[in-house]
Amino acid sequence: MKLYAATLNFRPIAEEFSVPTEFLAELHQEAAQAVDRYQAERRDCRDIELVTIDPVGSMDLDQAVCIEPQGEGFRVYYAIADVAAFIAPGSALEAESFRRGQTIYLPDEPARLHPAEISEGVASLLPEVDRPAVLWTFDLDERGEVVSHAVERAVVRSRARLDYDGVQRDVEAGTLHSSIVLLPVVGKLRQASALRRSAVNLRLPSQRVERRDDGRYELELEPRLEAMEWNSEISLLTGMVAGQMMAAAKVGILRTLGPADEKALRAFAVEAQALGFDYQPDQPVGEFIAGLDVTTRQGMAVMREAQKLLRGADYHVLDGEAPTEQDVHAGVGGYYAHVTAPLRRLVDRFATETCLAIATNRPVPEWVTTRYDELCEAMQRSGAIAGNVDRACLRLTEATVLKPHVGDTFTAVVLASMPERNKSRIFLDEPPVLCGCTGSPEEATEVQVRLVDVDISQRTVTFEWPA
């Protein structure tokens, strides 16, 4: 059963959450006139055969990768768009980026962090053009563990713009681009690396609103392709090394997420055991999560419950003090910093500049250190807005898609049951909807539920069980 919504207007959501979707003419002009402020510092690395891997149609390309054999191990090159080269401290573009914080994705018009002249132009790592970049180089041993690393300003030239679906097809056909033929090997090794084994790496299917060619909208589940997971490991590797650099230098801005406490782990163990899994609270939860098959009802249900272990993400400024256990990011298994998406996230530009200074034994520029606290505020504020906008767009689409089907019965999987409240959390396979339900059927079972009410103005849907 495929359910679609007629053309939807997401503009009221943008207005409700004060999301700016356009730039003033003077900002476009400033962006169009921006030139590389660090051109003289760059090493010529155009001989490295980098490629980008992004969703189909993406133009704001933050990262490019190339992996080569290195003895018994590997050399990983990871080029990141050098946005700081085009946004001068004290400029109107900088002020606007602090106001926005990050790109916020509405289904019909992304509210970008930077004008298109930068985000889809001179800073984007588009194929077959020279681009300024911050180049990370990692030497890994045969187990995928980091032996050495370096970071520097460079000029690079991407060879191809690849997408996840195409890379996955190439993996299955044995025709991967030569620059990433080792990506599956390195990705799997990194997933099994010492720090990553302790991470709680959630792999829940992600709902998204997809605009069709005919103008209608469809709710889809974004597939968790292996190519996505392997490419993500290269980004995580970079962020972890950046975090370790900051922790050692006692300067920078870490992305933090505290580990689950014993009470939460015990509760999770009870839930996992109830769903048929042999898990004890003294086992490494990361290893358990990594082995789950999320295509099964039980796997999906226990992965959903694992979300409770990852709460309270924040940023922490290091100002000469050593980091503590509270500064670790439990989702990646170590110290972590955002440095790989500067076209879409404000903090990455400043965190990258911090790492460049550490790598060359220079003081971190004052235009960076004096903005750390503002960065935290901007990221927390914009992160909350982004989450609210994403949920509102999904809820609006769900309500619009389901409105004509009030009274119909749907098949659902029970993700969580709360008998004391006569409520449950369910997942509809088609259309893919995660929502609440009246009634408390047994967890991890397949049940029939009835859609009893839809309120488009409030963006709510109401199901009940028994149907």
Side-chain angles (χ1 to χ4, degrees):
M1 175 175 56
K2 284 282 186 183
L3 303 182
Y4 304 99
T7 300
L8 291 170
N9 180 15
F10 295 94
R11 169 60 57 177
I13 292 176
E15 294 173 351
E16 177 182 343
F17 294 101
S18 301
V19 176
T21 57
E22 297 178 349
F23 290 90
L24 296 175
E26 49 264 39
L27 291 171
H28 281 292
Q29 183 178 4
E30 184 178 327
Q33 295 174 347
V35 295
D36 180 4
R37 299 191 297 129
Y38 301 107
Q39 186 173 3
E41 300 180 21
R42 300 193 185 281
R43 184 164 72 92
D44 187 348
C45 295
R46 288 174 292 181
D47 59 322
I48 300 173
E49 298 195 351
L50 297 154
V51 298
T52 59
I53 312 173
D54 290 273
V56 175
S58 295
M59 293 292 289
D60 52 341
L61 309 181
D62 284 292
Q63 312 110 5
V65 63
C66 175
I67 306 177
E68 300 175 349
Q70 177 87 350
E72 295 183 353
F74 313 89
R75 172 160 287 181
V76 178
Y77 295 105
Y78 205 44
I80 307 299
D82 193 354
V83 179
F86 301 102
I87 299 183
S91 66
L93 281 174
E94 184 189 58
E96 183 67 12
S97 66
F98 269 85
R99 186 167 80 91
R100 295 181 178 233
Q102 61 188 283
T103 295
I104 294 177
Y105 291 95
L106 294 106
D108 54 351
E109 51 176 347
R112 299 205 180 279
L113 176 60
H114 307 107
E117 291 86 352
I118 290 175
S119 63
E120 299 183 354
V122 292
S124 179
L125 302 182
L126 297 167
E128 300 303 340
V129 289
D130 295 348
R131 284 290 184 260
V134 174
L135 181 65
W136 293 82
T137 304
F138 306 101
D139 284 342
L140 310 180
D141 64 18
E142 67 278 7
R143 300 167 300 154
E145 302 290 355
V146 178
V147 176
S148 64
H149 66 270
V151 57
E152 61 189 323
R153 282 200 151 95
V155 56
V156 301
R157 189 178 181 91
S158 170
R159 299 305 196 270
R161 184 178 64 167
L162 308 179
D163 61 75
Y164 292 117
D165 292 338
V167 170
Q168 188 65 41
R169 288 193 298 271
D170 289 343
V171 169
E172 294 165 2
T175 56
L176 267 178
H177 191 287
S178 59
S179 297
I180 54 169
V181 71
L182 291 172
L183 179 63
V185 177
V186 172
K188 291 174 184 177
L189 287 172
R190 289 301 303 167
Q191 287 172 331
S193 67
L195 284 176
R196 296 292 290 135
R197 285 197 301 272
S198 65
V200 182
N201 182 26
L202 299 184
R203 291 171 289 116
L204 277 172
S206 175
Q207 290 169 289
R208 67 181 178 187
V209 180
E210 190 74 14
R211 187 176 185 175
R212 292 163 47 90
D213 292 339
D214 60 8
R216 292 187 297 170
Y217 289 86
E218 178 183 0
L219 280 169
E220 291 187 345
L221 277 182
E222 183 177 53
R224 297 304 300 173
L225 301 175
E226 288 181 310
M228 290 180 177
E229 303 290 351
W230 299 329
N231 195 49
S232 176
E233 286 297 328
I234 307 303
S235 180
L236 290 170
L237 163 66
T238 309
M240 293 174 76
V241 168
Q244 291 161 5
M245 290 173 67
M246 292 179 185
K250 302 179 184 178
V251 63
I253 181 167
L254 296 174
R255 182 60 165 164
T256 64
L257 181 62
D261 59 28
E262 291 186 11
K263 181 179 179 181
L265 286 170
R266 287 197 301 271
F268 175 70
V270 171
E271 292 161 347
Q273 291 164 10
L275 290 167
F277 294 95
D278 182 18
Y279 174 72
Q280 302 299 324
D282 57 348
Q283 290 179 261
V285 67
E287 290 185 12
F288 172 68
I289 292 294
L292 287 175
D293 181 358
V294 295
T295 65
T296 67
R297 300 186 191 113
Q298 290 81 5
M300 189 184 302
V302 78
M303 189 70 78
R304 184 262 176 191
E305 294 306 308
Q307 287 181 295
K308 299 174 184 177
L309 303 176
L310 296 181
R311 290 179 176 173
D314 204 349
Y315 291 91
H316 180 227
V317 175
L318 297 175
D319 189 15
E321 79 279 11
T324 69
E325 288 186 7
Q326 297 304 311
D327 297 319
V328 167
H329 194 296
V332 298
Y335 297 123
Y336 187 72
H338 277 153
V339 293
T340 62
L343 290 173
R344 291 168 280 176
R345 203 167 44 209
L346 172 65
V347 68
D348 299 52
R349 183 164 88 235
F350 291 78
T352 294
E353 209 66 34
T354 302
C355 290
L356 285 166
I358 293 171
T360 53
N361 294 311
R362 292 183 290 109
V364 180
E366 187 175 343
W367 65 265
V368 175
T369 57
T370 56
R371 307 302 293 273
Y372 282 152
D373 290 335
E374 290 177 78
L375 278 169
C376 289
E377 189 279 328
M379 295 309 302
Q380 289 162 348
R381 171 178 44 80
S382 62
I385 293 172
N388 287 332
V389 167
D390 188 50
R391 286 187 290 272
C393 291
L394 279 172
R395 298 293 89 84
L396 174 62
T397 308
E398 289 172 352
T400 307
V401 163
L402 290 169
K403 180 67 174 178
H405 300 275
V406 171
D408 289 356
T409 298
F410 293 79
T411 300
V413 175
V414 183
L415 298 182
S417 186
M418 297 157 276
E420 70 281 1
R421 298 168 57 192
N422 193 36
K423 291 184 179 298
S424 54
R425 183 79 171 161
I426 61 172
F427 170 65
L428 273 62
D429 182 53
E430 194 61 62
V433 174
L434 286 159
C435 63
C437 179
T438 301
S440 53
E442 185 179 350
E443 289 183 344
T445 59
E446 185 175 276
V447 297
Q448 299 297 303
V449 296
R450 188 168 79 253
L451 179 63
V452 295
D453 186 53
V454 171
D455 188 332
I456 292 178
S457 65
Q458 297 298 312
R459 303 190 288 262
T460 61
V461 298
T462 304
F463 288 89
E464 69 174 12
W465 175 86

